[in-house]
Amino acid sequence: MRAVKAAMGDAVFTVMWVFVSSMFGLLTNLIVTALGLQTLVWAPVLANTSLIFTFVFLFNFLGEFLGGATFNPTGTASFYAAGVGGDSLLSMALRFPAQAAGSVGGALAILEVMPVQYKHMLGGPTLQVDLQTGGLAEGILTFLMTFAVLVIILKGPRSALLQAWFLATVTVTLVSAGSTYTGPSMNPAYDSFETTK
């Protein structure tokens, strides 16, 4: 029963995360424009990092409220492999499909409510290099992100605020580093976004 409850929490949580995170580009653009900082190179990076920080911090609390729900299958697998948490093979077998279904649900939901003039800002990862280079880049970036998450959560600061800031900084850094290769996703949940368009 606990495994089914965890899977249901993951599905709901993933719908919410994919829905909200799909708007980061739009929200960053709106914030920078509203503040009149379009000409400053660092403004979009700082605005995006701040947005990710805010939502990671909020979603950490929400995930705890939902009984440890997560939206990233890679994170779920890495914490299981590290022996952290109470997952079993059965719960993992239920959580992965729930997260995948949740990501499709979130992608379909954002496509329904996003105003037409902003739909061009939605999109998932897209291959911008040959297949082997893109796969290698995505693999390396996913490894680095997963390793950073494990270090930050297990060995890093105990402050939830600092953990969220470090996670946001690492995310923006790795997404920027991989933008010329795949866009990158580093979260299999985002890959569903391209298939639902």
Side-chain angles (χ1 to χ4, degrees), residues 55-149:
F55 282 102
V56 165
F57 184 73
L58 292 173
F59 270 72
N60 282 343
F61 282 114
L62 186 57
E64 289 300 318
F65 177 75
L66 291 174
T70 63
F71 56 84
N72 190 337
T74 306
T76 305
S78 63
F79 281 106
Y80 175 74
V84 178
D87 280 314
S88 65
L89 284 177
L90 173 63
S91 69
M92 298 293 280
L94 294 173
R95 290 180 85 172
F96 288 157
Q99 290 168 338
S103 68
V104 170
L108 291 172
I110 193 65
L111 286 173
E112 288 297 318
V113 300
M114 181 65 83
V116 175
Q117 68 266 30
Y118 298 119
K119 280 200 178 188
H120 71 280
M121 300 180 109
L122 295 175
T126 55
L127 193 59
Q128 300 168 18
V129 292
D130 64 275
L131 186 61
Q132 292 79 10
T133 304
L136 182 63
E138 194 71 21
I140 290 170
L141 291 168
T142 300
F143 171 79
L144 291 173
M145 185 67 192
T146 302
F147 184 73
V149 168

Side-chain angles (χ1 to χ4, degrees), residues 149-174:
V149 168
L150 285 171
V151 169
I152 291 167
I153 299 299
L154 299 179
K155 300 289 185 185
R158 293 292 125 220
S159 165
L161 281 171
L162 280 176
Q163 285 180 347
W165 183 256
F166 288 157
L167 290 171
T169 303
V170 168
T171 300
V172 170
T173 301
L174 291 176

Side-chain angles (χ1 to χ4, degrees), residues 21-64:
S21 64
S22 297
M23 293 188 289
F24 286 166
L26 170 62
L27 293 173
T28 298
N29 186 26
L30 292 174
I31 290 168
V32 170
T33 303
L35 296 175
L37 302 174
Q38 302 92 315
T39 58
L40 301 174
V41 175
W42 55 266
V45 174
L46 182 61
N48 199 10
T49 303
S50 299
L51 272 172
I52 293 172
F53 160 74
T54 302
F55 282 102
V56 165
F57 184 73
L58 292 173
F59 270 72
N60 282 343
F61 282 114
L62 186 57
E64 289 300 318

